[in-house]
Amino acid sequence: MLKKEAGSAELPQHIAFIMDGNGRWARKRGLPRTAGHREGARTLRRIIRDLDSMGIKFATFYAFSTENWKRSDEEVSTLMRLFEENLDDLVNYENENIRLRFIGGRERLSDTLRKKMLDAEEKSKSHTGMTVILAINYGGRDDIVRAAKRSAELISEGSLRPDDLTEERFESFLQTDGVPPVDLMVRTGGEIRISNFLIWQISYAELYFTDTLWCDFSKKDLEAAVNEFMSRSRRYGDAR
Ligand code: FPP
């Protein structure tokens, strides 16, 4: 249950998830790693509804990093197939007011997947409820380099002066343009690291690490993370 009275009692506006531990979940059951990713996709569907019912406005999920291409061909192709299979009905576009967005480079993705991403964005673009952002072929450094290139282009064509390149302006070149900064970053699966996820956007995020594997992550676990967030006091560098 959410403890409304805790701390600032402000719900996080934006929660980012590193969905780790699918391989271990599968191994514990004597199943191939890919079975863990299938179960992980079911968890993602469940958690999206839980977030929506809690009133969270933005949620970003790390589905595939720029480094994940190093995994076996079989694992990469299963993940890509899983994304393709799930996008058509991840949201019930007729009845749910959830908007879907994607971050990450699309150049290396299949035509089929790219088309499904565009379809999902198009079908949900007028939705005004929670925004779900899926990070596919995403890397925080890559995001920053793309924004730096965009700034350099604008400067070289004369439409941006170096002095006008403020934090706000630079931020508008990141793929998360229009999305508020991350308030709470949750990583499942026991590792205590950020793994190149949203490194600019988490500057002032509260970090929450749990040993629970992503496939086992439940509404209760989500509420525990949000309660912990609400019990912390956020000062943004201020001493008070
Ligand atoms: C990390 O666990 C997980 C991933 C690299 C993939 C995450 C993808 C999903 C949960 C599916 C998302 C589905 C859609 C439709 C977007 P790991 O494989 O590193 O686990 P391990 O640390 O136990 O080996």
Side-chain angles (χ1 to χ4, degrees):
M1 231 174 47
L2 276 186
K3 293 192 200 129
K4 290 274 188 221
E5 73 281 5
S8 66
E10 289 270 346
L11 273 179
Q13 240 200 312
H14 183 181
I15 310 183
F17 293 88
I18 301 182
M19 308 182 280
D20 199 12
N22 298 345
R24 278 164 285 162
W25 182 91
R27 196 170 59 228
K28 269 172 51 183
R29 286 161 180 76
L31 298 169
R33 296 176 56 77
T34 48
H37 295 315
R38 291 202 175 278
E39 186 61 25
R42 283 191 278 273
T43 306
L44 171 68
R45 288 172 169 273
R46 188 162 46 69
I47 292 296
I48 289 174
R49 268 78 222 175
D50 293 338
L51 288 160
D52 196 27
S53 70
M54 285 164 74
I56 303 298
K57 293 290 176 235
F58 294 87
T60 306
F61 297 90
Y62 208 4
F64 195 91
S65 75
T66 45
E67 288 72 37
N68 284 151
W69 296 105
K70 293 183 209 147
R71 296 192 175 199
S72 72
D73 290 350
E74 190 209 347
E75 186 166 348
V76 169
S77 58
T78 301
L79 278 165
M80 293 298 156
R81 212 171 329 120
L82 206 53
F83 302 152
E84 287 176 11
E85 285 167 10
N86 276 274
L87 287 193
D88 290 336
D89 62 353
L90 190 59
V91 166
N92 180 335
Y93 298 97
E94 304 275 294
N95 302 316
E96 284 181 308
N97 195 19
I98 300 173
R99 182 168 174 200
L100 219 55
R101 270 179 72 162
F102 299 91
I103 53 174
R106 300 194 190 189
E107 321 79 42
R108 275 184 86 171
L109 307 179
S110 72
D111 290 347
T112 313
L113 180 54
R114 282 207 299 250
K115 184 171 179 312
K116 284 181 187 262
M117 289 160 79
L118 281 176
D119 277 356
E121 284 172 328
E122 187 58 32
K123 281 193 245 161
S124 67
K125 72 175 181 206
S126 59
H127 291 182
T128 53
M130 178 170 68
T131 298
V132 168
I133 302 155
L134 298 180
I136 300 180
N137 190 27
Y138 178 84
R141 290 181 177 182
D142 181 64
D143 197 1
I144 292 170
V145 168
R146 284 170 195 263
K149 279 188 186 149
R150 180 85 190 113
S151 318
E153 278 163 11
L154 293 177
I155 287 170
S156 72
E157 71 193 34
S159 47
L160 176 66
R161 290 187 320 141
D163 279 350
D164 293 337
L165 187 58
T166 57
E167 287 188 14
E168 289 72 26
R169 192 75 204 274
F170 188 76
E171 210 160 65
S172 76
F173 301 140
L174 295 172
Q175 296 172 66
T176 45
D177 180 33
V179 176
V182 176
D183 296 307
L184 170 63
M185 158 93 71
V186 173
R187 181 174 188 140
T188 61
E191 312 285 356
I192 318 256
R193 54 175 170 262
I194 300 302
S195 301
N196 196 21
F197 190 35
L198 297 171
I199 49 182
W200 172 290
Q201 297 86 340
I202 60 161
S203 300
Y204 280 100
E206 295 295 326
L207 307 179
Y208 183 88
F209 299 96
T210 169
D211 288 338
T212 303
L213 305 175
W214 175 251
C215 298
D216 295 325
F217 193 72
S218 65
K219 185 170 190 190
K220 248 176 122 176
D221 296 312
L222 175 62
E223 286 172 346
V226 172
N227 282 330
E228 164 74 21
F229 170 86
M230 292 196 295
S231 75
R232 295 188 194 172
S233 87
R234 302 179 81 201
R235 291 196 293 271
Y236 301 95
D238 193 328
R240 276 163 296 170

